Amino acid sequence: MEGGGAYGAGKAGSAFDPIAFIKRPQVILRIVSWIFAIIVFGCISAEGYYNNQCMYNGDENACNFGIAIGVLAFLACMVFLVTDAVMDQISSVEYRKYIVMADLGFSGFWTFMWFVCFCYLTNKWTTFDNPPPDFPDSGVEAAIAFSFFSILTWAGLTALAVMRFRQGSAQAFSQGYEPDMAGPDSSPYTSYPTGGDASQESYQEPPFSGGSATGESEYKPPTY
């Protein structure tokens, strides 16, 4: 992961560098996932039907499910590519955190959805006993293969999102709870000013004392 700002992005307000942006691991995986999604829903839409019948054992839901997963993955990749591009311009650490959390949650969920799609299409295709003899099955099998590849790429996006979230959380913790470097003798309380030397301390005479310096009262007998 590259250094810089919080949650794996660059410093807030830094100039956009397209070369550095393309080299980011999550951007590379997102572009690859975007291409795989196009292949999946493109192959099913173009070659998944024969005489208006879905070639996944005639199950229309299988074709619709594969197309929906591919189209939504295609759109999600575009959205997150835009967020990756504008991440450096977002100065709020909280907003960056929410974006990374959304990336983490969606990537993890869509890894699972690609796994379901792969199993669903594979099961329907392998149980199709009587495919038409003149039917080109390359598109149907390509959709299954790239569904499996999409599991790997989206799992990689999930792992990178976890790393970015941990890195951002560690930075926020270190900045919010810095240790006191003032030393053990430092005190948050102000000390009262102390007096001078003990020899310079003055004492007041007790009240109701006589005029002698020793503080003893003089006895005067009464007059008659």
Side-chain angles (χ1 to χ4, degrees), residues 58-137:
D59 189 351
E60 292 290 335
N61 292 328
C63 288
N64 294 334
F65 185 77
I67 292 174
I69 294 297
V71 170
L72 291 176
F74 168 80
L75 296 175
C77 287
M78 294 186 65
V79 170
F80 283 113
L81 279 172
V82 173
T83 59
D84 289 336
V86 302
M87 193 78 157
D88 296 348
Q89 309 303 321
I90 300 176
S91 59
S92 174
V93 177
E94 286 295 322
Y95 289 160
R96 291 189 178 194
K97 177 182 177 181
Y98 296 149
I99 292 174
V100 173
M101 290 178 63
D103 186 9
L104 172 59
F106 187 86
S107 297
F109 177 68
W110 225 247
T111 302
F112 172 74
M113 294 303 294
W114 275 121
F115 175 75
V116 173
C117 181
F118 168 74
C119 295
Y120 191 9
L121 298 181
T122 301
N123 176 263
K124 292 300 180 180
W125 175 245
T126 55
T127 55
F128 195 16
D129 296 330
N130 298 313
D134 56 344
F135 173 71
D137 56 1

XYZ file of all heavy atoms in Angstrom, residues 58-137:
640
model
N -32.173 -24.486 -20.262
C -33.477 -23.886 -20.479
C -33.972 -23.048 -19.319
O -35.159 -22.671 -19.295
N -33.111 -22.732 -18.357
C -33.513 -21.970 -17.169
C -33.323 -20.480 -17.458
O -32.193 -19.982 -17.500
C -32.678 -22.403 -15.969
C -33.190 -21.810 -14.667
O -34.077 -20.943 -14.700
O -32.683 -22.215 -13.599
N -34.425 -19.770 -17.641
C -34.347 -18.340 -17.903
C -33.753 -17.575 -16.718
O -33.074 -16.559 -16.900
C -35.752 -17.792 -18.220
C -36.343 -18.275 -19.524
C -35.630 -17.685 -20.733
O -35.042 -16.586 -20.596
O -35.661 -18.310 -21.800
N -34.002 -18.075 -15.522
C -33.459 -17.398 -14.350
C -31.931 -17.437 -14.335
O -31.287 -16.502 -13.837
C -34.001 -18.044 -13.071
C -35.487 -17.811 -12.899
O -36.014 -16.779 -13.305
N -36.174 -18.769 -12.302
N -31.335 -18.484 -14.845
C -29.873 -18.578 -14.886
C -29.290 -17.502 -15.793
O -28.312 -16.830 -15.433
C -29.449 -19.969 -15.354
N -29.890 -17.342 -16.961
C -29.414 -16.303 -17.886
C -29.630 -14.909 -17.296
O -28.729 -14.060 -17.346
C -30.129 -16.424 -19.227
S -29.609 -17.851 -20.209
N -30.801 -14.689 -16.750
C -31.088 -13.371 -16.170
C -30.185 -13.075 -14.977
O -29.728 -11.931 -14.803
C -32.555 -13.302 -15.742
C -33.507 -13.370 -16.913
O -33.159 -13.004 -18.040
N -34.720 -13.855 -16.675
N -29.921 -14.088 -14.170
C -29.065 -13.888 -13.000
C -27.631 -13.543 -13.414
O -27.014 -12.618 -12.868
C -29.078 -15.143 -12.134
C -28.324 -14.996 -10.839
C -28.873 -14.316 -9.767
C -27.057 -15.556 -10.694
C -28.177 -14.179 -8.582
C -26.361 -15.426 -9.502
C -26.920 -14.740 -8.446
N -27.103 -14.268 -14.391
C -25.747 -13.991 -14.867
C -25.625 -12.608 -15.478
O -24.631 -11.894 -15.240
N -26.629 -12.211 -16.255
C -26.604 -10.876 -16.863
C -26.690 -9.798 -15.785
O -25.963 -8.789 -15.826
C -27.750 -10.733 -17.874
C -27.507 -11.649 -19.081
C -27.878 -9.282 -18.335
C -28.666 -11.690 -20.064
N -27.575 -9.983 -14.799
C -27.747 -8.978 -13.742
C -26.469 -8.823 -12.913
O -26.046 -7.688 -12.615
C -28.917 -9.378 -12.840
N -25.848 -9.935 -12.557
C -24.615 -9.859 -11.764
C -23.517 -9.145 -12.556
O -22.780 -8.302 -12.024
C -24.152 -11.265 -11.349
C -25.164 -11.887 -10.395
C -22.768 -11.216 -10.703
C -25.318 -11.144 -9.097
N -23.415 -9.447 -13.838
C -22.393 -8.797 -14.665
C -22.634 -7.309 -14.846
O -21.704 -6.501 -14.748
N -23.882 -6.923 -15.090
C -24.191 -5.504 -15.304
C -23.974 -4.707 -14.021
O -23.384 -3.614 -14.042
C -25.642 -5.341 -15.804
C -26.058 -3.881 -15.803
C -25.776 -5.921 -17.215
N -24.426 -5.231 -12.893
C -24.240 -4.514 -11.628
C -22.762 -4.417 -11.254
O -22.322 -3.395 -10.719
C -25.033 -5.208 -10.514
C -26.556 -5.112 -10.636
C -27.231 -5.918 -9.526
C -27.018 -3.658 -10.586
N -22.000 -5.469 -11.536
C -20.564 -5.407 -11.278
C -19.895 -4.373 -12.180
O -18.987 -3.643 -11.745
C -19.934 -6.782 -11.497
N -20.334 -4.290 -13.411
C -19.818 -3.295 -14.355
C -20.066 -1.870 -13.840
O -19.156 -1.024 -13.824
C -20.484 -3.510 -15.713
C -20.258 -2.399 -16.706
C -19.080 -2.313 -17.430
C -21.242 -1.450 -16.932
C -18.881 -1.299 -18.335
C -21.057 -0.435 -17.839
C -19.869 -0.353 -18.551
N -21.285 -1.610 -13.393
C -21.622 -0.278 -12.886
C -20.887 0.032 -11.582
O -20.411 1.157 -11.375
C -23.135 -0.178 -12.679
C -24.007 -0.298 -13.938
C -25.493 -0.296 -13.567
C -23.701 0.821 -14.919
N -20.785 -0.971 -10.708
C -20.100 -0.747 -9.435
C -18.624 -0.435 -9.649
O -18.059 0.431 -8.961
C -20.249 -1.977 -8.538
N -17.995 -1.110 -10.596
C -16.579 -0.827 -10.876
C -16.392 0.612 -11.348
O -15.426 1.283 -10.968
C -16.049 -1.807 -11.918
S -15.784 -3.478 -11.303
N -17.310 1.093 -12.166
C -17.204 2.470 -12.641
C -17.377 3.459 -11.488
O -16.651 4.457 -11.394
C -18.256 2.726 -13.728
C -18.035 1.936 -15.000
S -19.192 2.389 -16.320
C -18.701 4.072 -16.622
N -18.331 3.182 -10.607
C -18.566 4.083 -9.467
C -17.338 4.129 -8.566
O -16.872 5.212 -8.164
C -19.813 3.647 -8.683
C -19.930 4.422 -7.373
C -21.068 3.841 -9.522
N -16.784 2.977 -8.243
C -15.637 2.951 -7.335
C -14.364 3.462 -8.007
O -13.462 3.952 -7.315
C -15.431 1.538 -6.791
C -16.396 1.171 -5.710
C -17.356 0.187 -5.918
C -16.373 1.808 -4.478
C -18.252 -0.157 -4.928
C -17.262 1.477 -3.477
C -18.207 0.489 -3.697
N -14.273 3.358 -9.324
C -13.141 3.985 -10.010
C -13.210 5.506 -9.868
O -12.176 6.173 -9.695
C -13.131 3.584 -11.487
C -12.529 2.226 -11.833
C -12.765 1.886 -13.299
C -11.039 2.195 -11.510
N -14.409 6.062 -9.945
C -14.570 7.506 -9.759
C -14.213 7.901 -8.321
O -13.516 8.905 -8.094
C -16.011 7.931 -10.101
C -16.232 9.401 -9.750
C -16.286 7.712 -11.582
N -14.658 7.120 -7.349
C -14.325 7.439 -5.963
C -12.824 7.317 -5.708
O -12.257 8.101 -4.935
C -15.089 6.523 -5.000
O -14.763 5.150 -5.278
C -16.584 6.723 -5.148
N -12.177 6.353 -6.354
C -10.718 6.252 -6.220
C -10.027 7.480 -6.796
O -9.005 7.937 -6.265
C -10.212 4.998 -6.935
C -10.589 3.712 -6.211
O -10.815 3.772 -4.993
O -10.657 2.657 -6.869
N -10.586 8.023 -7.878
C -9.968 9.181 -8.522
C -10.121 10.449 -7.695
O -9.217 11.288 -7.660
C -10.562 9.378 -9.918
N -11.269 10.602 -7.031
C -11.523 11.835 -6.270
C -11.139 11.698 -4.801
O -11.315 12.640 -4.027
C -13.008 12.251 -6.384
C -13.394 12.456 -7.832
C -13.921 11.220 -5.724
N -10.622 10.545 -4.404
C -10.296 10.308 -3.002
C -9.266 11.319 -2.501
O -9.348 11.778 -1.352
C -9.749 8.890 -2.852
C -9.654 8.406 -1.424
S -11.235 7.881 -0.761
C -10.701 6.781 0.547
N -8.300 11.666 -3.341
C -7.258 12.605 -2.913
C -7.799 14.004 -2.662
O -7.164 14.795 -1.949
C -6.148 12.684 -3.967
C -5.429 11.355 -4.134
O -5.639 10.470 -3.288
O -4.676 11.198 -5.108
N -8.936 14.347 -3.252
C -9.500 15.681 -3.084
C -10.415 15.780 -1.866
O -10.913 16.860 -1.563
C -10.289 16.077 -4.349
C -9.509 15.899 -5.644
C -8.201 16.672 -5.649
O -8.153 17.794 -5.154
N -7.156 16.092 -6.216
N -10.658 14.662 -1.202
C -11.522 14.647 -0.024
C -10.648 14.846 1.203
O -9.796 14.013 1.519
C -12.303 13.322 0.073
C -13.173 13.137 -1.171
C -13.156 13.289 1.328
C -13.914 11.815 -1.206
N -10.844 15.958 1.888
C -10.026 16.264 3.059
C -10.557 15.627 4.334
O -9.809 15.435 5.285
C -9.929 17.787 3.249
O -11.229 18.349 3.420
N -11.841 15.295 4.363
C -12.431 14.734 5.570
C -12.031 13.271 5.722
O -12.268 12.451 4.829
C -13.959 14.853 5.513
O -14.549 14.197 6.613
N -11.431 12.947 6.863
C -11.047 11.568 7.130
C -12.281 10.697 7.308
O -12.286 9.523 6.923
C -10.135 11.507 8.381
C -9.785 10.070 8.725
C -8.866 12.315 8.150
N -13.353 11.248 7.856
C -14.576 10.477 8.054
C -15.180 10.056 6.719
O -15.632 8.919 6.563
C -15.585 11.294 8.858
C -15.247 11.411 10.340
C -15.295 10.082 11.053
O -16.175 9.275 10.729
O -14.446 9.846 11.918
N -15.212 10.974 5.737
C -15.750 10.628 4.427
C -14.894 9.567 3.752
O -15.400 8.645 3.087
C -15.830 11.868 3.544
C -16.914 12.845 3.964
C -16.886 14.179 3.569
C -17.977 12.418 4.753
C -17.879 15.069 3.954
C -18.971 13.296 5.143
C -18.916 14.615 4.749
O -19.895 15.493 5.132
N -13.575 9.663 3.895
C -12.702 8.624 3.341
C -12.988 7.271 3.986
O -13.004 6.235 3.319
C -11.237 9.001 3.561
C -10.760 10.190 2.735
C -9.258 10.359 2.857
N -8.758 11.460 2.041
C -7.482 11.652 1.765
N -6.580 10.816 2.256
N -7.098 12.669 1.019
N -13.216 7.310 5.273
C -13.529 6.069 5.992
C -14.818 5.447 5.462
O -14.890 4.227 5.259
C -13.639 6.370 7.485
C -14.045 5.171 8.330
C -14.185 5.584 9.788
C -14.661 4.429 10.641
N -14.826 4.830 12.073
N -15.839 6.252 5.247
C -17.111 5.723 4.752
C -16.958 5.130 3.353
O -17.572 4.097 3.032
C -18.168 6.826 4.744
C -18.514 7.351 6.119
C -18.908 8.678 6.310
C -18.450 6.520 7.242
C -19.216 9.160 7.574
C -18.761 6.992 8.500
C -19.141 8.315 8.661
O -19.449 8.789 9.917
N -16.143 5.767 2.504
C -15.935 5.249 1.154
C -15.238 3.899 1.204
O -15.617 2.951 0.492
C -15.131 6.263 0.320
C -15.966 7.518 0.056
C -14.682 5.641 -0.999
C -15.204 8.626 -0.643
N -14.213 3.790 2.036
C -13.483 2.525 2.145
C -14.378 1.442 2.739
O -14.337 0.280 2.308
C -12.210 2.719 2.978
C -11.524 1.388 3.244
C -11.238 3.649 2.266
N -15.211 1.805 3.709
C -16.123 0.823 4.284
C -17.148 0.355 3.253
O -17.501 -0.834 3.211
C -16.827 1.423 5.499
C -15.925 1.626 6.703
S -16.779 2.388 8.119
C -18.007 1.145 8.489
N -17.630 1.275 2.410
C -18.565 0.880 1.358
C -17.883 -0.034 0.346
O -18.473 -1.032 -0.113
C -19.109 2.130 0.655
N -16.635 0.288 0.009
C -15.870 -0.568 -0.897
C -15.671 -1.945 -0.295
O -15.839 -2.975 -0.974
C -14.526 0.099 -1.189
C -13.713 -0.654 -2.230
O -14.239 -1.594 -2.857
O -12.529 -0.300 -2.436
N -15.326 -1.991 0.978
C -15.113 -3.270 1.653
C -16.381 -4.111 1.688
O -16.365 -5.306 1.354
C -14.599 -3.009 3.075
C -14.480 -4.206 4.016
C -13.538 -5.250 3.451
C -14.004 -3.745 5.387
N -17.491 -3.497 2.076
C -18.736 -4.243 2.170
C -19.230 -4.743 0.821
O -19.627 -5.910 0.682
N -19.193 -3.859 -0.189
C -19.696 -4.261 -1.505
C -18.788 -5.304 -2.144
O -19.283 -6.270 -2.756
C -19.820 -3.039 -2.414
C -20.481 -3.350 -3.733
C -21.858 -3.323 -3.855
C -19.723 -3.683 -4.843
C -22.470 -3.627 -5.056
C -20.320 -3.982 -6.053
C -21.710 -3.953 -6.170
N -17.480 -5.124 -2.034
C -16.554 -6.082 -2.657
C -16.698 -7.463 -2.035
O -16.696 -8.480 -2.739
C -15.113 -5.582 -2.518
O -14.927 -4.365 -3.196
N -16.828 -7.509 -0.706
C -17.020 -8.796 -0.058
C -18.334 -9.448 -0.456
O -18.377 -10.665 -0.732
N -19.387 -8.647 -0.529
C -20.685 -9.200 -0.913
C -20.683 -9.665 -2.366
O -21.229 -10.725 -2.690
C -21.773 -8.149 -0.691
C -23.147 -8.589 -1.117
C -23.815 -9.593 -0.433
C -23.775 -7.997 -2.203
C -25.082 -9.998 -0.827
C -25.039 -8.402 -2.600
C -25.701 -9.402 -1.907
N -20.032 -8.897 -3.244
C -20.048 -9.269 -4.661
C -19.109 -10.436 -4.961
O -19.303 -11.146 -5.935
C -19.719 -8.072 -5.551
C -20.652 -8.000 -6.717
C -20.360 -8.173 -8.032
C -22.063 -7.753 -6.665
N -21.497 -8.054 -8.805
C -22.559 -7.797 -7.979
C -22.959 -7.501 -5.624
C -23.893 -7.594 -8.289
C -24.291 -7.297 -5.920
C -24.744 -7.342 -7.234
N -18.114 -10.652 -4.110
C -17.327 -11.888 -4.225
C -18.223 -13.101 -4.008
O -18.144 -14.100 -4.749
C -16.183 -11.884 -3.203
O -15.349 -10.743 -3.420
C -15.342 -13.139 -3.328
N -19.068 -13.003 -3.013
C -20.017 -14.089 -2.741
C -21.018 -14.243 -3.892
O -21.350 -15.369 -4.291
C -20.745 -13.815 -1.427
C -21.876 -14.759 -1.142
C -21.630 -16.060 -0.740
C -23.193 -14.345 -1.281
C -22.676 -16.939 -0.487
C -24.247 -15.216 -1.030
C -23.982 -16.521 -0.626
N -21.498 -13.128 -4.438
C -22.477 -13.209 -5.533
C -21.856 -13.824 -6.787
O -22.515 -14.583 -7.508
C -23.025 -11.820 -5.838
C -23.842 -11.208 -4.713
S -25.246 -12.234 -4.194
C -26.270 -12.192 -5.669
N -20.598 -13.527 -7.077
C -19.926 -14.158 -8.210
C -19.764 -15.659 -7.974
O -19.843 -16.461 -8.916
C -18.570 -13.514 -8.462
C -18.609 -12.290 -9.314
C -18.181 -11.039 -8.993
C -19.090 -12.205 -10.667
N -18.370 -10.171 -10.043
C -18.924 -10.866 -11.087
C -19.649 -13.113 -11.559
C -19.295 -10.430 -12.363
C -20.030 -12.677 -12.826
C -19.845 -11.357 -13.209
N -19.505 -16.038 -6.736
C -19.404 -17.465 -6.426
C -20.742 -18.167 -6.673
O -20.786 -19.268 -7.236
C -18.968 -17.647 -4.969
C -18.937 -19.074 -4.509
C -17.914 -19.924 -4.905
C -19.925 -19.559 -3.666
C -17.889 -21.251 -4.480
C -19.904 -20.881 -3.245
C -18.885 -21.730 -3.649
N -21.830 -17.524 -6.242
C -23.161 -18.096 -6.486
C -23.434 -18.174 -7.988
O -23.967 -19.185 -8.486
C -24.232 -17.255 -5.774
C -25.635 -17.740 -6.151
C -24.054 -17.319 -4.265
N -23.078 -17.128 -8.720
C -23.291 -17.113 -10.168
C -22.509 -18.235 -10.853
O -23.033 -18.934 -11.728
C -22.883 -15.753 -10.725
S -23.115 -15.567 -12.506
N -21.259 -18.403 -10.459
C -20.435 -19.460 -11.063
C -21.042 -20.834 -10.793
O -21.148 -21.670 -11.712
C -19.013 -19.376 -10.501
C -18.160 -20.560 -10.818
C -17.652 -20.748 -12.101
C -17.856 -21.504 -9.832
C -16.861 -21.854 -12.398
C -17.072 -22.602 -10.131
C -16.573 -22.786 -11.408
N -21.433 -21.095 -9.557
C -22.012 -22.397 -9.232
C -23.343 -22.615 -9.948
O -23.633 -23.727 -10.435
C -22.203 -22.512 -7.718
S -20.671 -22.519 -6.766
N -24.142 -21.569 -10.030
C -25.457 -21.669 -10.669
C -25.320 -21.986 -12.155
O -25.933 -22.938 -12.674
C -26.197 -20.349 -10.464
C -27.668 -20.361 -10.821
C -28.332 -21.541 -11.125
C -28.392 -19.167 -10.843
C -29.680 -21.542 -11.439
C -29.738 -19.153 -11.163
C -30.372 -20.351 -11.466
O -31.716 -20.341 -11.781
N -24.488 -21.207 -12.850
C -24.322 -21.421 -14.284
C -23.654 -22.758 -14.585
O -24.026 -23.449 -15.549
C -23.501 -20.273 -14.891
C -24.110 -18.872 -14.802
C -23.198 -17.859 -15.472
C -25.505 -18.825 -15.412
N -22.683 -23.124 -13.779
C -21.997 -24.405 -13.997
C -22.946 -25.569 -13.829
O -22.947 -26.528 -14.627
C -20.811 -24.540 -13.024
O -19.908 -23.453 -13.221
C -20.061 -25.842 -13.262
N -23.767 -25.514 -12.787
C -24.715 -26.593 -12.542
C -25.715 -26.717 -13.679
O -26.018 -27.844 -14.137
C -25.422 -26.352 -11.209
C -26.500 -27.386 -10.920
O -27.695 -27.160 -11.162
N -26.096 -28.533 -10.393
N -26.218 -25.598 -14.147
C -27.222 -25.647 -15.215
C -26.618 -26.103 -16.545
O -27.268 -26.810 -17.323
C -27.881 -24.278 -15.379
C -28.755 -23.872 -14.198
C -29.888 -24.860 -13.985
C -30.764 -24.472 -12.808
N -31.891 -25.452 -12.608
N -25.384 -25.716 -16.807
C -24.767 -26.100 -18.077
C -24.370 -27.573 -18.094
O -24.543 -28.267 -19.106
C -23.559 -25.220 -18.352
C -22.780 -25.601 -19.578
C -21.504 -26.056 -19.628
C -23.242 -25.567 -20.929
N -21.123 -26.309 -20.924
C -22.184 -26.006 -21.752
C -24.455 -25.208 -21.529
C -22.294 -26.102 -23.134
C -24.569 -25.301 -22.916
C -23.502 -25.736 -23.697
N -23.840 -28.072 -16.983
C -23.416 -29.475 -16.939
C -24.594 -30.444 -16.919
O -24.437 -31.624 -17.266
C -22.529 -29.731 -15.709
O -23.222 -29.320 -14.525
C -21.218 -28.966 -15.818
N -25.767 -29.977 -16.509
C -26.950 -30.852 -16.494
C -27.800 -30.699 -17.751
O -28.899 -31.275 -17.817
C -27.815 -30.544 -15.258
O -28.153 -29.156 -15.240
C -27.056 -30.901 -13.983
N -27.299 -29.943 -18.720
C -28.024 -29.771 -19.985
C -27.688 -30.969 -20.878
O -26.620 -31.048 -21.472
C -27.603 -28.460 -20.641
C -28.533 -28.012 -21.735
C -29.804 -28.550 -21.877
C -28.135 -27.039 -22.636
C -30.651 -28.128 -22.873
C -28.977 -26.613 -23.641
C -30.248 -27.154 -23.762
N -28.624 -31.907 -20.973
C -28.348 -33.177 -21.643
C -28.382 -33.081 -23.154
O -27.584 -33.738 -23.841
C -29.366 -34.247 -21.189
C -29.240 -34.555 -19.711
O -28.107 -34.435 -19.181
O -30.263 -34.896 -19.075
N -29.265 -32.278 -23.694
C -29.460 -32.271 -25.150
C -29.323 -30.866 -25.721
O -30.311 -30.254 -26.161
C -30.848 -32.844 -25.499
C -30.996 -34.288 -25.068
O -30.114 -35.114 -25.308
N -32.117 -34.599 -24.423
N -28.101 -30.319 -25.738
C -27.943 -29.019 -26.396
C -28.072 -29.169 -27.905
O -27.801 -30.246 -28.465
C -26.518 -28.612 -25.996
C -25.815 -29.894 -25.750
C -26.844 -30.833 -25.187
N -28.500 -28.164 -28.615
C -28.605 -28.233 -30.074
C -27.244 -28.552 -30.697
O -26.211 -28.029 -30.256
C -29.090 -26.834 -30.466
C -29.749 -26.316 -29.238
C -28.997 -26.879 -28.085
N -27.199 -29.401 -31.706
C -25.907 -29.789 -32.283
C -25.168 -28.642 -32.964
O -23.937 -28.643 -33.007
C -26.287 -30.883 -33.289
C -27.737 -30.665 -33.579
C -28.332 -30.104 -32.329
N -25.898 -27.693 -33.500
C -25.253 -26.573 -34.191
C -25.096 -25.345 -33.300
O -24.830 -24.244 -33.789
C -26.048 -26.192 -35.432
C -27.509 -25.848 -35.119
O -27.970 -26.205 -34.010
O -28.179 -25.229 -35.965
N -25.234 -25.528 -31.998
C -25.148 -24.396 -31.073
C -23.693 -24.145 -30.684
O -23.019 -25.063 -30.199
C -25.985 -24.659 -29.821
C -25.821 -23.614 -28.756
C -26.341 -22.335 -28.923
C -25.118 -23.899 -27.588
C -26.184 -21.378 -27.934
C -24.959 -22.941 -26.604
C -25.490 -21.674 -26.777
N -23.170 -22.916 -30.878
C -21.799 -22.616 -30.448
C -21.763 -22.403 -28.933
O -22.311 -21.425 -28.418
C -21.456 -21.335 -31.207
C -22.771 -20.676 -31.456
C -23.793 -21.774 -31.577
N -21.108 -23.306 -28.232
C -21.113 -23.245 -26.776
C -19.950 -22.462 -26.189
O -19.766 -22.451 -24.971
C -21.107 -24.654 -26.190
C -19.925 -25.473 -26.699
O -19.112 -24.944 -27.486
O -19.821 -26.663 -26.315
